[in-house]
Amino acid sequence: MVDLEKIKEKFLAALLVLTKEAEVLNLKSEYVGKNGVVSEILKSLKDMNADERKAFGPKANELKDFIQDQSTMRLASIEVLEINKKLAEDRIDVSLTEQIQVKTIKHGGFHPRTLIQQEIEDIFLSMGFDVLDGPHIEDEFHNFEALNIPSDHPARDMQDTFWFHDPHDTEAKDKIGKKRLLRSHTSTIQVRGMLGRKPPFRFIAPGIVFRSERTDASHEMVFTQLEGMMIGKDISVANLIYFMKTILKEIFKKDVEVRLRPGYFPFVEPGFELDIRCLICEGKGCSVCKQIGWVELLPCGMVHPNVLKAGGIDPEVFNGFAFGLGLDRLVMMKYGIDDIRHLQSGDLRFNSQFKLF
Ligand code: FA5
């Protein structure tokens, strides 16, 4: 009588070292295949007498089932091993890809205007200002009327505005009765900002503006301003001047020479022009400062009562200041850029000189 236990042990010892699917299938066939060891034993049952068959038959069948089950389990574990091996081989080596990128892809840099704008926004945010945005396509109310510049006011000619209609055609209005234009300054945001707030408040609003102007070293047709407004009680010109100087010191990280002179803007009273000593020529005279050694940078003033009224604020109770920083000119002064047109050139050799991402 064959020893089924020995056959079982031999099968198991052989099975456990196998690592390939084909090897397992071969082993299984050696035992329970058509002419396999166990299959032959089962065939021999018919030659046994009834008692032997009764004692041996179930054990032989159990062995057959055991071999089949063990083979199936081994096949499943080999499949898992192979999947894991494949995953390990296909793993993406991120550091390798990066090395390749460094060689083949050039990294860009932030535009210098973006760098300065972010820096200024951070300074103002740290002083409790909100940062607002506004539409580039404006109506004449926000660009002029709300700023104390009615349609017959000569100050409308101070900024050569791009209109969507003939500005002299009084009938020319859009479907909802408004004359549209490309905003000529960020002061449009003053009334928009005031209407949603109760004093005291303070905000800045950076953004591009559009003017039909002849370009030169310090003038563009599309340029950037940064509007600022602070409204509260008992705000004075001294506060305004201190504030402007502090901001310039923060931006330039050193004392810069500035001068304040009277300036006329219908939306402030009194109004000032704050000029900076030209840092391109150090005041000697160049194309940026038009040979005068000073650059107009930061007009400002105390908000006119009519503007406060347009913003829903009682001028008898509250007052405040506003300013309109020329951001492109500030960038020029900070980085020593001698022509504003470089900023809009799109020339990557220019842009890549500044801080990388
Ligand atoms: C204004 O636009 C006023 N809205 C500023 C203001 C706001 C005054 C609040 C008082 C209170 P102005 O036209 O001067 O003002 O322009 C402001 C600044 O923008 C200038 O000092 C200058 O730095 C810059 N700027 C003006 N025109 C150009 C231009 N064509 N190209 C580049 N920068 C310009």
Side-chain angles (χ1 to χ4, degrees):
M1 193 70 56
V2 280
D3 188 341
L4 293 179
E5 272 309 309
K6 274 215 169 111
I7 293 175
K8 187 176 175 181
E9 277 167 23
K10 198 173 163 203
F11 166 78
L12 271 181
L15 182 72
L16 289 175
V17 294
L18 299 184
T19 54
K20 296 206 170 68
E21 192 185 295
E23 291 169 347
V24 176
L25 291 173
N26 281 341
L27 184 72
K28 182 183 168 191
S29 170
E30 271 174 37
Y31 283 80
V32 293
K34 200 167 164 218
N35 300 315
V37 182
V38 179
S39 306
E40 290 300 327
I41 293 169
L42 288 169
K43 277 184 215 161
S44 70
L45 286 178
K46 64 178 187 316
D47 303 325
M48 296 179 186
N49 62 41
D51 286 344
E52 281 173 343
R53 204 179 307 132
K54 207 171 167 188
F56 197 71
K59 287 182 185 156
N61 272 312
E62 260 175 38
L63 180 60
K64 183 186 166 197
D65 291 346
F66 176 80
I67 288 171
Q68 281 175 334
D69 290 349
Q70 288 297 316
S71 302
T72 307
M73 274 157 40
R74 188 70 195 155
L75 283 172
S77 63
I78 287 175
E79 194 183 358
V80 171
L81 285 176
E82 279 179 359
I83 289 172
N84 286 343
K85 197 172 155 215
K86 201 159 177 3
L87 284 175
E89 281 165 4
D90 289 353
R91 190 173 62 88
I92 296 169
D93 186 343
V94 182
S95 63
L96 184 66
T97 319
E98 251 185 21
Q99 282 162 20
I100 293 167
Q101 275 181 357
V102 168
K103 278 191 203 137
T104 55
I105 300 173
K106 282 189 178 167
H107 283 263
F110 276 121
H111 191 279
R113 192 197 294 119
T114 308
L115 291 173
I116 296 283
Q117 187 176 321
Q118 286 174 347
E119 201 177 328
I120 296 177
E121 283 179 13
D122 284 347
I123 294 169
F124 279 103
L125 281 168
S126 73
M127 293 191 290
F129 280 71
D130 292 336
V131 180
L132 307 187
D133 200 3
H136 296 167
I137 297 177
E138 264 293 4
D139 51 53
E140 62 176 345
F141 172 76
H142 288 96
N143 204 80
F144 293 119
E145 275 155 32
L147 294 167
N148 198 30
I149 316 174
S151 57
D152 53 353
H153 199 292
R156 284 210 180 191
D157 299 332
M158 283 167 74
Q159 300 165 1
D160 291 313
T161 312
F162 285 113
W163 291 89
F164 284 85
H165 309 280
D166 176 355
H168 304 296
D169 178 358
T170 47
E171 301 303 314
K173 290 179 176 163
D174 70 6
K175 282 184 193 145
I176 54 167
K178 286 183 173 175
K179 281 190 181 181
R180 303 281 173 182
L181 51 95
L182 287 175
R183 70 175 179 192
S184 58
H185 54 173
T186 45
S187 299
T188 51
I189 213 74
Q190 287 191 14
V191 170
R192 290 185 182 281
M194 279 189 282
L195 285 174
R197 291 177 165 71
K198 280 203 172 102
F201 59 77
R202 44 194 126 169
F203 58 77
I204 55 164
I208 51 170
V209 299
F210 311 82
R211 289 184 197 177
S212 174
E213 284 200 42
R214 185 190 285 269
T215 62
D216 60 29
S218 56
H219 289 82
E220 261 291 7
M221 291 209 276
V222 180
F223 58 100
T224 316
Q225 290 185 337
L226 188 137
E227 196 75 9
M229 198 171 209
M230 184 170 187
I231 303 293
K233 279 184 181 170
D234 302 325
I235 295 175
S236 70
V237 174
N239 295 139
L240 165 65
I241 295 168
Y242 172 79
F243 208 84
M244 299 296 111
K245 283 191 171 173
T246 308
I247 286 160
L248 290 177
K249 198 171 174 181
E250 280 281 332
I251 294 167
F252 286 98
K253 315 277 186 266
K254 61 177 183 186
D255 278 320
V256 284
E257 211 180 326
V258 293
R259 72 174 184 188
L260 199 68
R261 56 194 170 89
Y264 173 67
F265 302 92
F267 32 96
V268 285
E269 182 57 40
F272 305 97
E273 287 282 5
L274 192 146
D275 304 332
I276 182 170
R277 174 72 85 188
C278 182
L279 295 174
I280 307 294
C281 60
E282 291 178 341
K284 293 187 195 82
C286 66
S287 58
V288 174
C289 61
K290 306 231 170 354
Q291 313 303 332
I292 55 173
W294 295 92
V295 177
E296 277 182 19
L297 187 70
L298 218 173
C300 51
M302 302 303 291
V303 181
H304 195 285
N306 287 350
V307 178
L308 289 172
K309 277 188 215 156
I313 290 167
D314 184 350
E316 300 292 327
V317 184
F318 299 104
N319 73 343
F321 61 73
F323 59 91
L325 172 70
L327 203 60
D328 305 70
R329 292 192 189 164
L330 183 79
V331 172
M332 293 169 74
M333 294 299 116
K334 171 106 183 182
Y335 288 113
I337 298 165
D338 62 4
D339 196 311
I340 195 171
R341 289 165 291 197
H342 287 308
L343 296 176
Q344 226 87 290
S345 66
D347 189 334
L348 292 179
R349 289 169 306 173
F350 171 77
N351 289 1
S352 60
Q353 296 170 72
F354 303 92
K355 208 161 74 181
L356 291 178
F357 288 119

